[in-house]
Amino acid sequence: MSDETGTGVPAGPQPEPLRFFGTTWVRHDHGYAARRIAAAVGSLAAAAVACLVLRFAYEGLRIAETGGFVTLLMVVMFTICSALAFRHTWDSYTRRPDPDRQASLRGLLAVGFIGSLLAYFFRSLIEAPGEKLHREEYETARKQHEKRTTRRTGNPSKKRRRA
């Protein structure tokens, strides 16, 4: 990579920063491994705290004696929403989500936040969440940039014509 801009930044497309990782995912430098460990531990701890909060909500329903049906509805709702949020979050690490669909699922993802936290945890064990998608996009952009900027050798006007 050459520095054609004079600013210390290589010419061509730049990598998109990831939340909590910046651009360390490109070369796995500057504390990348420590950030992955911290992201995994943090998301798992947040999921555990969220489960504790839901446990308090469950106890509140039990103390209020709302009945078994309401309690069952709450448990089923959080279970289904968490499963759907997990799947949606997991898929968003390998392909860009549709913005309209994302907006329509905002409520479901808010209710199923534990699923999203668990997806973040499991993805952190493999890579920085979203790294694969960003790496593919970055490498494609770099290849396209290299194709556009490669120079031909020789002057095309002096090329011999075939008879």
Side-chain angles (χ1 to χ4, degrees):
M1 286 186 228
S2 64
D3 178 12
E4 297 175 12
T5 61
T7 61
V9 178
Q14 298 302 311
E16 187 177 336
L18 292 174
R19 180 181 295 152
F20 305 125
F21 293 91
T23 57
T24 62
W25 59 269
V26 177
R27 292 185 194 92
H28 295 187
D29 57 356
H30 301 295
Y32 171 81
R35 290 175 192 223
R36 268 193 44 208
I37 291 168
V41 170
S43 60
L44 187 60
V49 169
C51 287
L52 185 63
V53 169
L54 286 180
R55 172 79 175 150
F56 289 143
Y58 174 79
E59 288 298 321
L61 286 176
R62 214 180 86 212
I63 291 169
E65 296 178 4
T66 56
F69 182 69
V70 173
T71 304
L72 178 68
L73 279 177
M74 187 190 94
V75 170
V76 169
M77 175 194 65
F78 274 105
T79 303
I80 291 172
C81 288
S82 290
L84 292 172
F86 179 92
R87 184 63 190 178
H88 178 77
T89 304
W90 188 264
D91 288 344
S92 72
Y93 295 137
T94 56
R95 64 178 179 269
R96 295 268 180 195
D98 177 33
D100 294 331
R101 185 169 184 263
Q102 185 82 6
S104 68
L105 290 176
R106 188 167 289 134
L108 180 131
L109 294 173
V111 172
F113 62 100
I114 294 176
S116 294
L117 289 169
L118 290 176
Y120 197 88
F121 166 71
F122 286 119
R123 198 59 179 202
S124 294
L125 297 177
I126 300 169
E127 65 179 5
E131 178 181 345
K132 181 180 179 183
L133 173 67
H134 285 76
R135 187 170 302 283
E136 288 171 358
E137 291 174 349
Y138 178 61
E139 287 175 359
T140 301
R142 293 291 302 167
K143 286 177 186 173
Q144 289 174 349
H145 176 74
E146 287 173 15
K147 274 185 179 179
R148 286 191 310 263
T149 57
T150 52
R151 309 273 192 267
R152 287 191 217 163
T153 57
N155 187 345
S157 64
K158 292 183 179 180
K159 194 174 189 180
R160 281 193 215 173
R161 306 282 177 189
R162 291 185 182 182

